[in-house]
Amino acid sequence: MLNLFPGQPSRRDFLKTGAALTSGLVVAFTLPTGFAKLAFAQDAKAPNLDFSSAALPNAFIKISPDNSIRLIINKLEMGQGVNTSLAQLIAEELECEWERISCESAPVAPVYNATFMPTQMAGGSSSVTSSWDQLRTVGAMAREMLIAAAAEKWGVPAKEIRAENGAVHHPKKGSLSYGELADAAARQTPPSPIPLKDPKQFKIIGKSVKRVDAADKSNGKAIFSSDVKVPDMLYAVIARPPFGATLQGFDEKAAKKISGLKEIVKIGGEKVAFVASNSWAAMKARDAAKVQWKLSDDPLLSQDGLKKIFMETLEKPGTPVKTVGKPAEALQKAKRTLDATYEFPYLAHACMEPMNCTVAFDGKKAHIWAGHQMPTADRMAASKVLGLPPENIEVTTTYAGGSFGRRANKDSDFVIEASTLAKKFKKPVQVIWTREDDTRGGYYRPMTMHRVKAGVDARGRVSGWDHKIVGQGVMVGSVFAANIDKTGIDPTSIEGVDNTPYAIPDFQLQLQLMKTPVTTLWWRSVGHTHTAYVMETFIDELAAAAQKDPLKYRKEMIPKSPRHQAVLDLLAKESDWGKKMPAGRALGLAVHESFNSVVGHVVEVSLNGTDVKVHKIVSAVHCGTVVNPKGAQAQVESAIVYGLSACLYGDLTLEKGQVKQGNFHDYQVVRMPEMPIIEVYFVPSKDAPTGLGEPGLPPLAPAIANAIFKLNGKRVRTQPFSKGLV
Amino acid sequence: MAAYDLSINGKIVRVETEADMPVLWAVRDLVGLTGTKYSCGMALCGACTILVDGEPLRSCVTTVSAVAGRKITTIEGLEGKIGSAVQTAWQDLSVPQCGYCQSGQILAATALLTQKPKPTDQDIDTAMAGNICRCGTYADIRRAIHKAADLVKRS
């Protein structure tokens, strides 16, 4: 069996069903990466694990007679560089020239399913790690099929033939290009088992090859889903209610005066669609309509009530998640106890490309264009709206202008809206969200609170740890909501605490899941966005109480993880940890494991009143084999900047269900002048790759907080810092 | 509704629209050039940046009537020594991640290098502060601007 998730202690959670993998069944899967259980109606036979079939390489590799090679990429390219890194995996074993490769986005088909679940998805920092064996095997199979085709044509044994640089070579028979052999190769049966290259022979993996999409993203040619143009297309913007609100009315007459407006349509959920011949007219018509809402009085939908109810809940016992030893006793015996309450706000994904989707439907067939992380599930949602079997729906996964989880929507919200309108008009419809729609449209990183009480003994060791988390899960509305209601545990709310590597002998974790009308979703690194902050700032407090250096303290507290040790050692070395800092500057440290990778940051910070300035970040990363060093560095930088915006400024506040923030002036994000200097160091490793899209984010905010403490003696427990430092 | 003759990337294109339609929508929906992007609609993010007579403008708040008779350059029409050097540097350094902001970044960078052939990091901060990147490619953008300056100098 392939090792799809190296570093996982056991495979027991993988693929619970075997014989049940037939069409039409709802199948439950636990993702070993720490994702909650997800259910998908399965519209395919067995998932993509059958490597004896020739269908596999043929689905991923298209070779033209002129020897140019198209690689079919089955994961959304949302910035993380998968169309390059996954292509590298195939190209390495295929033995072709990198310069002759172009990449295309895969349609929806069972052969493109993720290797760990019977659906297509990109997310959870899983693309490279879960494709590592599969795509190298795909490349190797194709190589062997080309060799077999040449062996047949030349009448020589396959073992006398060598594949290199897009051609096969025989000492006596000469050479043939892949292009000349492609047709014959497609008909060969791949051998079994498939020999994969020794990593010492890698020519492409481990190299910083240029991104395959760098040119098109630098000359305006790259097509994002909002760029899709279909003849006869209508454009729609939708007035969506504030949370808990109902539609009161709108000025239809004023809207209809706007030239270009075609129709105003009420669609489900109190929404009103303004459909026009261009998106400007649609936006103007909606503005002119001045849609009125009857707002909700639910205390959970106004900031004061929300905070009050969460705080009250924090005081009460919750669902027990994990108990080790005797935490209550240990706390009693402690020489000193520390008690801290943490607050984290709702956060928007705020992708550069606001949400949008285009759907065309003629009554019998349909076509969806979107930059989606979960195209199979989105197609299923559309099929229900359109009343079509999924096979009659073609899906084009375009580039996405950022996603960070927003375009992996278990409710398929953006697809259902466009499908609904396409069905009504029987014309292609593109639903465009404005920036305000996008900021206010929900599916946020949940507001969350933590309370931690921990003790230290006379020798500065942890003596008892009592941890409570209050917040919404992100699986509400999914098929597993019922099960989570029963157990009271959403794994994404506790990840990073329940599996902490810190040696805490007496430990207790409780969770209280909250339900509010505000929609929530995974947001780059999910539960780790808040759990890492709590763990890494609290550990720092304990280090101070024990009068120990924070880095040394962590090394002592994580004795059993060589990866954490390696990251901490690399950090110590490259940041020159412990050096004397100039006045007004301090270094802060944090280390956290998420998505199977371990990342640590040392940040250099200064403070100007409540303004936090991050000057420099030194990062150490253990992510196994690095497929593309430049791309990997880019992902760590990306996660850092994304996390920096959130901890400095990110804050969505509610007033009667209305989100007050709307655009980049009141939902501020980091810009060029604030960009710190970032140095990224990778722990050399021959392990299979582990996740990298998200792991750079969680340790950033706590590292900054730990530096702030050195500057002003204050422990910041509220995010964003702009609020927490006041 | 009126007809406007717009000079876009060296060609005259006639569009029929209201005077207050911003150039962004004219260029994307009426002319079909989708390289220029909508992201905020309020000139806060820079994704819609075009060059008008060489100056960077936010096309989401610049009306069609305001640019009639002026030379518009969108990403699709970027040419010349500086523009080409910027695009080359962008590709050589694999600057784009999701890529959605990069048309705006490239045009803003081209305008900067046209004004200042050898910009300092401070110049870059000032000139590029209006262009947001949610993927965080700022370090690569800075490196690419310095590289482009070098390429122009050596050409």
Side-chain angles (χ1 to χ4, degrees):
Chain A
M1 244 317 210
L2 299 173
N3 184 9
L4 297 170
F5 287 98
Q8 284 297 318
S10 87
R11 308 294 303 295
R12 70 186 183 283
D13 288 336
F14 179 75
L15 274 189
K16 285 196 158 101
T17 64
L21 292 174
T22 53
S23 332
L25 286 184
V26 174
V27 180
F29 286 84
T30 305
L31 297 186
T33 51
F35 261 52
K37 297 187 177 87
L38 294 169
F40 289 89
Q42 195 179 332
D43 64 351
K45 290 207 162 62
N48 189 15
L49 294 176
D50 179 8
F51 279 18
S52 62
S53 164
L56 205 53
N58 284 310
F60 285 91
I61 304 171
K62 313 280 181 206
I63 302 174
S64 303
D66 70 354
N67 222 29
S68 58
I69 298 177
R70 287 180 296 141
L71 300 182
I72 311 301
I73 305 298
N74 62 340
K75 308 280 182 191
L76 170 68
E77 173 52 60
M78 46 182 154
Q80 82 287 47
V82 284
N83 63 1
T84 302
S85 48
L86 297 184
Q88 285 178 259
L89 303 187
I90 301 174
E92 180 70 67
E93 292 289 344
L94 180 55
E95 297 286 2
C96 60
E97 297 157 300
W98 182 251
E99 294 71 30
R100 297 200 82 94
I101 283 173
S102 63
C103 293
E104 283 175 18
S105 171
V108 174
V111 72
Y112 299 117
N113 286 344
T115 53
F116 52 88
M117 57 197 303
T119 192
Q120 274 167 258
M121 74 88 85
S125 301
S126 67
S127 294
V128 171
T129 189
S130 69
S131 306
W132 173 246
D133 281 324
Q134 181 207 37
L135 290 186
R136 286 186 303 144
T137 303
V138 161
M141 287 168 86
R143 178 193 72 224
E144 296 301 317
M145 287 156 79
L146 286 156
I147 287 175
E152 197 176 70
K153 185 170 175 139
W154 282 329
V156 299
K159 65 180 196 295
E160 291 176 7
I161 300 172
R162 194 185 84 250
E164 196 177 17
N165 282 337
V168 295
H169 312 277
H170 185 272
K172 293 209 181 85
K173 296 286 184 175
S175 302
L176 282 168
S177 76
Y178 287 178
E180 293 172 278
L181 290 164
D183 281 343
R187 294 190 294 272
Q188 303 294 322
T189 305
S192 183
I194 302 281
L196 294 180
K197 280 165 94 162
D198 183 331
K200 290 198 195 77
Q201 297 169 319
F202 284 164
K203 294 183 225 166
I204 295 175
I205 293 174
K207 303 280 184 292
S208 295
V209 294
K210 261 194 248 181
R211 282 185 68 120
V212 297
D213 54 5
D216 281 354
K217 288 177 176 176
S218 303
N219 60 23
K221 288 197 183 133
I223 298 293
F224 298 81
S225 51
S226 47
D227 299 329
V228 166
K229 301 274 178 221
V230 183
D232 251 0
M233 190 166 82
L234 296 170
Y235 296 80
V237 290
I238 297 175
R240 297 176 189 81
F243 296 107
T246 50
L247 178 65
Q248 206 160 59
F250 57 92
D251 190 343
E252 192 165 338
K253 235 165 102 178
K256 287 204 161 140
K257 286 205 185 107
I258 303 295
S259 124
L261 176 74
K262 289 272 180 278
E263 207 174 316
I264 303 170
V265 183
K266 283 196 198 160
I267 60 177
E270 308 291 317
K271 298 180 198 178
V272 185
F274 294 80
V275 187
S277 55
N278 67 74
S279 54
W280 175 245
M283 289 178 196
K284 274 181 79 170
R286 186 178 67 176
D287 286 344
K290 293 189 167 41
V291 183
Q292 304 281 334
W293 308 99
K294 184 169 186 310
L295 301 176
S296 168
D297 280 321
D298 187 339
L300 280 169
L301 290 177
S302 282
Q303 211 56 26
D304 291 343
L306 179 59
K307 181 165 168 166
K308 181 164 174 283
I309 291 168
F310 269 54
M311 290 287 235
E312 283 168 1
T313 309
L314 209 50
E315 297 299 315
K316 301 189 201 130
T319 307
V321 174
K322 183 174 179 179
T323 307
V324 180
K326 298 187 158 95
E329 262 182 50
L331 274 168
Q332 275 280 333
K333 283 195 255 173
K335 179 162 182 266
R336 267 185 65 186
T337 51
L338 303 164
D339 189 339
T341 299
Y342 297 79
E343 283 182 54
F344 302 89
Y346 286 113
L347 293 175
H349 297 77
C351 311
M352 279 311 282
E353 182 188 17
M355 299 305 289
N356 63 84
C357 180
T358 305
V359 176
F361 174 59
D362 66 5
K364 297 207 196 86
K365 294 205 307 226
H367 195 144
I368 302 172
W369 293 262
H372 27 200
Q373 294 182 234
M374 310 196 304
T376 314
D378 284 341
R379 184 176 71 164
M380 186 62 70
S383 80
K384 293 200 178 96
V385 171
L386 299 171
L388 285 182
E391 310 81 71
N392 287 19
I393 302 176
E394 189 180 338
V395 176
T396 298
T397 300
T398 60
Y399 287 121
S403 187
F404 317 108
R406 180 59 180 91
R407 292 174 152 101
N409 195 322
K410 61 208 147 71
D411 296 338
S412 298
D413 64 329
F414 54 103
V415 174
I416 287 176
E417 286 178 347
S419 303
T420 304
L421 289 170
K423 181 174 183 179
K424 174 167 168 60
F425 288 93
K426 292 257 180 27
K427 269 179 178 227
V429 177
Q430 183 171 97
V431 177
I432 299 264
W433 297 45
T434 62
R435 172 59 52 191
E436 289 76 12
D437 294 341
D438 195 272
T439 309
R440 296 177 175 144
Y443 295 106
Y444 305 130
R445 196 283 304 266
M447 169 161 159
T448 307
M449 291 191 185
H450 290 234
R451 185 163 180 198
V452 183
K453 285 188 247 196
V456 274
D457 67 14
R459 285 172 54 188
R461 291 175 304 188
V462 182
S463 179
W465 182 300
D466 183 1
H467 199 136
K468 175 85 180 290
I469 300 176
V470 171
Q472 289 166 269
V474 302
M475 297 309 299
V476 176
S478 77
V479 174
F480 276 99
N483 188 54
I484 289 174
D485 278 348
K486 229 180 6 179
T487 62
I489 299 174
D490 182 327
T492 64
S493 300
I494 53 171
E495 57 189 1
V497 177
D498 69 326
N499 62 343
T500 182
Y502 289 108
I504 304 171
D506 302 286
F507 172 91
Q508 168 173 271
L509 173 62
Q510 295 180 9
L511 170 68
Q512 186 56 53
L513 285 178
M514 304 297 283
K515 283 191 182 186
T516 91
V518 174
T519 48
T520 56
L521 196 61
W522 27 75
W523 183 105
R524 197 171 196 172
S525 78
V526 201
H528 300 280
T529 59
H530 50 87
T531 60
Y533 188 83
V534 174
M535 296 306 292
E536 284 302 290
T537 53
F538 210 76
I539 284 288
D540 227 59
E541 288 201 52
L542 293 171
Q547 295 181 308
K548 287 205 166 135
D549 170 80
L551 195 142
K552 285 206 185 88
Y553 190 72
R554 284 171 172 81
K555 278 180 66 81
E556 285 168 19
M557 288 283 283
I558 315 179
K560 295 203 181 123
S561 173
R563 295 191 303 155
H564 283 80
Q565 296 292 329
V567 164
L568 286 165
D569 289 339
L570 186 54
L571 268 185
K573 173 168 168 253
E574 299 297 347
S575 72
D576 201 8
W577 180 259
K579 71 183 173 192
K580 185 161 157 60
M581 295 300 293
R585 299 269 182 117
L587 296 182
L589 157 76
V591 65
H592 192 77
E593 178 177 356
S594 65
F595 308 96
N596 294 322
S597 295
V598 181
V599 177
H601 298 310
V602 168
V603 305
E604 182 177 330
V605 172
S606 67
L607 259 188
N608 190 359
T610 58
D611 285 334
V612 178
K613 174 90 181 154
V614 180
H615 300 274
K616 183 174 169 181
I617 302 175
V618 172
S619 303
V621 178
H622 193 301
C623 62
T625 297
V626 179
V627 172
N628 186 316
K630 166 68 181 74
Q633 178 180 337
Q635 282 317 292
V636 178
E637 290 182 7
S638 177
I640 285 172
V641 178
Y642 201 76
L644 187 59
S645 290
C647 69
L648 290 182
Y649 311 121
D651 191 12
L652 293 175
T653 54
L654 292 167
E655 194 51 58
K656 289 178 162 282
Q658 296 168 109
V659 172
K660 291 168 79 177
Q661 293 71 22
N663 210 309
F664 290 120
H665 62 296
D666 52 14
Y667 194 73
Q668 205 179 328
V669 297
V670 164
R671 296 168 180 269
M672 174 71 86
E674 300 156 281
M675 180 67 175
I677 295 167
I678 301 177
E679 291 172 11
V680 183
Y681 300 91
F682 292 94
V683 176
S685 165
K686 294 194 170 42
D687 293 349
T690 52
L692 197 53
E694 293 161 286
L697 195 151
L700 177 78
I704 296 173
N706 294 340
I708 289 172
F709 174 72
K710 286 188 189 167
L711 291 169
N712 68 2
K714 293 202 170 82
R715 295 285 179 191
V716 184
R717 302 209 176 105
T718 297
Q719 280 195 29
F721 293 135
S722 54
K723 212 152 86 171
L725 275 168
V726 166
Chain B
M1 284 280 268
Y4 296 90
D5 285 335
L6 301 179
S7 166
I8 302 177
N9 300 332
K11 289 203 194 93
I12 306 289
V13 181
R14 174 162 289 191
V15 298
E16 297 233 351
T17 185
E18 309 289 328
D20 70 346
M21 177 187 261
V23 178
L24 177 62
W25 278 269
V27 151
R28 287 181 56 82
D29 292 355
L30 303 184
V31 182
L33 293 169
T34 56
T36 313
K37 307 299 188 198
Y38 167 83
S39 184
C40 74
M42 279 178 75
L44 294 167
C45 78
C48 69
T49 306
I50 54 173
L51 300 178
V52 178
D53 294 331
E55 299 271 341
L57 284 188
R58 311 300 187 205
S59 63
C60 70
V61 295
T62 307
T63 61
V64 165
S65 50
V67 296
R70 301 175 69 188
K71 280 183 148 144
I72 299 168
T73 307
T74 69
I75 185 72
E76 291 92 342
L78 188 62
E79 51 186 19
K81 220 187 330 184
I82 297 174
S84 303
V86 171
Q87 284 178 310
T88 300
W90 245 247
Q91 288 170 58
D92 284 352
L93 297 180
S94 287
V95 173
Q97 289 187 28
C98 88
Y100 197 78
C101 75
Q102 299 295 345
S103 299
Q105 303 277 5
I106 285 168
L107 289 176
T110 300
L112 166 63
L113 286 170
T114 306
Q115 290 300 314
K116 295 190 171 177
K118 207 176 168 209
T120 62
D121 280 342
Q122 179 66 56
D123 292 329
I124 291 173
D125 278 351
T126 307
M128 305 300 289
N131 289 79
I132 294 175
C133 172
R134 287 295 279 155
C135 296
T137 65
Y138 299 121
D140 282 336
I141 289 172
R142 189 189 298 281
R143 278 193 274 271
I145 290 174
H146 287 307
K147 175 158 189 171
D150 193 52
L151 287 173
V152 172
K153 186 168 151 211
R154 290 201 270 122
S155 69

